[in-house]
């Protein structure tokens, strides 16, 4: 399913035109594209917590998720736990150890990534390359905007 098709489906859900069979076919699947999967998971979480917001707020949040799916994708963006953490400024050159320069995103995912590295963990980040999900392990952060990674 394309990002645009999923966005259209989410808009139908926002208008309460949701068919149970479509939910089973679309929202139970997991998607290889990180942004598509993050949007699918956000919609599922929103439906699980539907009673905690007004109908107007619920609709607005669904439409926001749908709109975000139609934004251009930056293949240099990398993700931690499904959320955008940074944008690579230098390429990942080869398997093994690499030091990369990146622009941090102001997000909870970047904050969580930094806390994990500071506590001695080696968190796994993901990115898309030529339409395929790839990953790397962060071994340290020698300075702000730089990561030492292992592919």
């Amino acid at each position: 399913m394309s990002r645009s098709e999923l966005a259209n489906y989410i808009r139908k859900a926002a208008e309460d035109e949701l068919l149970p069979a479509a939910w089973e076919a679309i929202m139970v699947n997991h998607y290889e594209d990180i942004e598509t999967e993050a949007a699918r998971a956000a919609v599922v979480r929103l439906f699980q917590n539907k009673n905690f917001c007004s109908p107007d707020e619920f609709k607005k949040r669904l439409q926001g998720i749908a709109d975000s799916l139609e934004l251009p994708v930056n293949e240099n963006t990398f993700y931690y736990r499904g959320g955008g953490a940074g944008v690579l400024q230098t390429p990942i050159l080869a398997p093994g150890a690499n030091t990369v320069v990146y622009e941090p995103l102001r997000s909870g995912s970047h904050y969580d990534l930094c806390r994990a590295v500071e506590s001695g963990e080696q968190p796994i980040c993901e990115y898309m390359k030529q339409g395929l999900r790839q990953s790397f392990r962060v071994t340290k952060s020698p300075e702000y905007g730089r990561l030492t990674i292992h592919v």
Side-chain angles (χ1 to χ4, degrees):
M1 168 171 291
S2 73
R3 294 164 54 96
S4 180
E5 289 169 330
L6 184 58
N8 288 332
Y9 173 79
I10 294 169
R11 287 189 182 97
K12 285 182 182 178
E15 297 300 327
D16 205 22
E17 298 172 3
L18 185 65
L19 300 175
W23 179 271
E24 292 296 322
I26 297 170
M27 299 311 280
V28 176
N29 289 327
H30 291 270
Y31 298 95
E32 184 67 24
D33 177 273
I34 296 167
E35 293 285 342
T36 304
E37 177 56 21
R40 182 207 63 84
V43 169
V44 170
R45 279 191 306 275
L46 191 55
F47 268 88
Q48 290 172 337
N49 297 301
K50 185 177 184 177
N51 296 332
F52 295 106
C53 61
S54 71
D56 287 340
E57 181 65 22
F58 179 75
K59 182 176 179 177
K60 181 179 175 183
R61 289 182 184 186
L62 283 174
Q63 290 172 334
I65 294 168
D67 291 347
S68 72
L69 278 170
E70 294 183 326
L71 294 173
V73 176
N74 181 346
E75 285 207 359
N76 292 326
T77 300
F78 66 94
Y79 303 82
Y80 179 60
R81 294 186 175 168
V87 179
L88 296 169
Q89 303 296 306
T90 56
I92 296 174
L93 299 175
N98 289 266
T99 297
V100 294
V101 176
Y102 76 103
E103 180 67 36
L105 295 177
R106 295 176 189 234
S107 68
S109 295
H110 181 258
Y111 177 83
D112 291 345
L113 172 66
C114 292
R115 298 296 77 78
V117 172
E118 286 174 2
S119 70
E121 295 177 41
Q122 294 189 355
I124 304 292
C125 293
E126 298 179 309
Y127 65 102
M128 296 298 292
K129 183 176 181 180
Q130 298 174 347
L132 299 174
R133 189 184 296 229
Q134 306 290 321
S135 65
F136 59 83
R137 183 171 30 96
V138 178
T139 56
K140 63 182 175 179
S141 179
E143 62 184 271
Y144 184 80
R146 294 188 186 280
L147 296 174
T148 302
I149 64 171
H150 191 273
V151 180

